[in-house]
Amino acid sequence: MNADRAYSSLGPCEGNEFDLVEYVDDACAPERRVALASHLQSCGRCRAFVDGIAAVTESLARALPPMALSPEFDAKLQDRIAGLARNAGREAARVNAEQEYRGALASLRRGFTWNAALDAVAAAAVGGGVVSAIAPRVLPALEFAQVSPATLSLGIGAAGLLAGLVAALALSRQPWPSPTG
Amino acid sequence: MGTAIDGHLAAGRHAQAFDLIVPEYRDRVFRLACSILKDRAAAEDAAQETLVRVWKALPGFDGRAQLGTWIYAITRNTCLMELRKRKPTVSFDDPDSPEAQAAAARIATGPASDPEHDNLLRLLEALPTNQQQAVRLFYLEERSYEAVAEALEMPLGTVKNLLFRARRRLMELARPQEVAAA
């Protein structure tokens, strides 16, 4: 950094500072560059400023050398991504399994509901048959009620069917445990 | 390259997009991290972390921002988190403050194994953070104003102004040492 000491007391011409830094960086417009080059030939203050900025710029370039990634950067990144992808795969599989489990439970619950209803209907039919078979024997005892065997068996069957449907409905509303607790 | 990445992203092929993003952006991410963290090893770790975050977040990238802008934002956030983990350090955002002047004086008289480089880097440390970052990135990006502006998400004029003020200040700070050495 051997810039002209004149800069410290006078500095460049007013309004030129910013453009002169761009001049050093070779970043100003071509016409402006030509104009500045012409001006620098006759202006010691601006020339001193340019020399000073150029010296700082080059010193920084030496003090801040280019940096590059290490050769193992890509391999390390691939390992990390592969590990994350495996974990992501496991997580996706867990989510799928949970969804399947929930689906199976829902299906089972629907099946159970209908099975319970059918069971109740079957029980009611069997109960009605039994009552029909034994009704003539017990009818004398129920004579005072004036209930025919057919009506009695129909009533028992309907009561069984109703009980079965109520039980099925109650079971279908029971909460089911989650696989994760 | 950008078109191919955009095509994969639009089609939901995130893995293929990421395969193209890594070679396209890894060095730029690393250089930006270097300019913020000022440490090669830490910058490399931050670049790894940034790209892992990009991989994780890529399915959620909606294309409202430019891909590069989005990746640079993730890089800056990753680096800021790294800086927060470190011990607090004194920052001189106002180089004309008494603290900064005192630090510059200590720097100028302190021991240095390579007087020119070490002193220049110490003087650089006394500049405001945004000027330091712009200067470091300017050299890492082969003196491209545009690359610095893109990475720092700043207007081109702001970057030029930061670089101008930083070097003018460094020239002023370095001059007394030259006089003393003469």
Side-chain angles (χ1 to χ4, degrees):
Chain A
M1 281 186 256
N2 297 316
D4 191 327
R5 302 280 185 265
Y7 166 74
S8 58
S9 58
L10 297 173
C13 296
E14 194 174 340
N16 271 359
E17 262 189 331
F18 194 86
D19 287 354
L20 288 172
V21 173
E22 283 201 336
Y23 177 87
V24 170
D25 289 336
D26 201 12
C28 56
E31 320 83 70
R32 181 63 179 147
R33 183 166 187 80
V34 170
L36 286 171
S38 172
H39 174 74
L40 285 168
Q41 286 180 341
S42 59
C43 180
R45 284 163 53 194
C46 285
R47 208 165 47 241
F49 180 78
V50 164
D51 289 347
I53 290 292
V56 168
T57 301
E58 292 313 311
S59 295
L60 282 169
R62 288 192 295 274
L64 299 170
M67 290 195 206
L69 288 164
S70 62
E72 61 269 20
F73 181 86
D74 281 0
K76 197 175 160 189
L77 180 64
Q78 278 168 3
D79 284 349
R80 283 188 70 181
I81 297 292
L84 288 168
R86 275 195 300 275
N87 286 339
R90 276 198 288 270
E91 176 62 16
R94 191 189 69 75
V95 169
N96 278 343
E98 187 169 324
Q99 283 173 347
E100 282 177 19
Y101 176 76
R102 287 184 188 284
L105 281 184
S107 171
L108 186 63
R109 198 155 52 210
R110 280 193 299 275
F112 190 82
T113 303
W114 284 110
N115 285 343
L118 288 173
D119 287 349
V121 170
V126 170
V130 169
V131 168
S132 299
I134 63 171
R137 292 181 203 167
V138 297
L139 189 59
L142 297 172
E143 208 168 9
F144 68 94
Q146 295 183 340
V147 177
S148 72
T151 305
L152 185 63
S153 63
L154 195 63
I156 292 173
L161 180 61
L162 187 64
L165 287 173
V166 169
L169 188 64
L171 284 170
S172 72
R173 289 189 177 180
Q174 279 182 358
W176 290 82
S178 156
T180 54
Chain B
M1 182 66 77
T3 312
I5 293 173
D6 291 343
H8 285 311
L9 288 175
R13 296 187 295 267
H14 301 116
Q16 288 92 328
F18 188 74
D19 284 345
L20 297 179
I21 286 171
V22 173
E24 176 80 4
Y25 285 98
R26 68 180 163 209
D27 292 304
R28 288 192 258 172
V29 164
F30 170 67
R31 290 194 290 265
L32 176 56
C34 279
S35 75
I36 298 171
L37 299 173
K38 306 171 198 170
D39 179 89
R40 210 205 70 81
E44 185 156 327
D45 288 345
Q48 285 270 339
E49 184 60 30
T50 297
L51 289 170
V52 166
R53 288 183 186 191
V54 167
W55 180 81
K56 284 180 182 173
L58 207 52
F61 176 68
D62 55 13
R64 276 186 293 183
Q66 291 283 321
L67 182 65
T69 305
W70 183 67
I71 292 174
Y72 286 137
I74 294 175
T75 308
R76 286 194 298 274
N77 284 340
T78 305
C79 291
L80 290 176
M81 285 176 68
E82 171 61 24
L83 286 176
R84 282 194 202 108
K85 286 185 206 164
R86 295 180 181 178
K87 287 181 181 176
T89 54
V90 178
S91 171
F92 302 110
D93 279 349
D94 177 9
D96 293 322
S97 69
E99 273 183 313
Q101 293 291 343
R106 283 198 304 276
I107 287 163
T109 56
S113 56
D114 182 342
E116 187 187 359
H117 292 178
D118 287 1
N119 280 341
L120 190 60
L121 290 178
R122 288 172 187 172
L123 292 173
L124 184 61
E125 290 289 317
L127 295 181
T129 307
N130 56 356
Q131 288 184 21
Q132 282 184 51
Q133 203 175 329
V135 166
R136 288 178 186 277
L137 202 51
F138 183 61
Y139 288 96
L140 290 169
E141 290 288 358
E142 298 175 343
R143 304 190 197 186
S144 163
Y145 288 141
E146 289 78 10
V148 175
E150 187 189 0
L152 297 181
E153 215 178 330
M154 287 177 179
L156 196 59
T158 305
V159 168
K160 286 181 179 179
N161 197 31
L162 286 173
L163 290 168
F164 159 70
R165 283 190 284 145
R167 281 178 286 176
R168 185 181 60 182
R169 183 65 183 159
L170 285 174
M171 190 167 68
E172 291 165 358
L173 289 171
R175 196 167 301 279
Q177 295 175 60
E178 287 179 11
V179 173

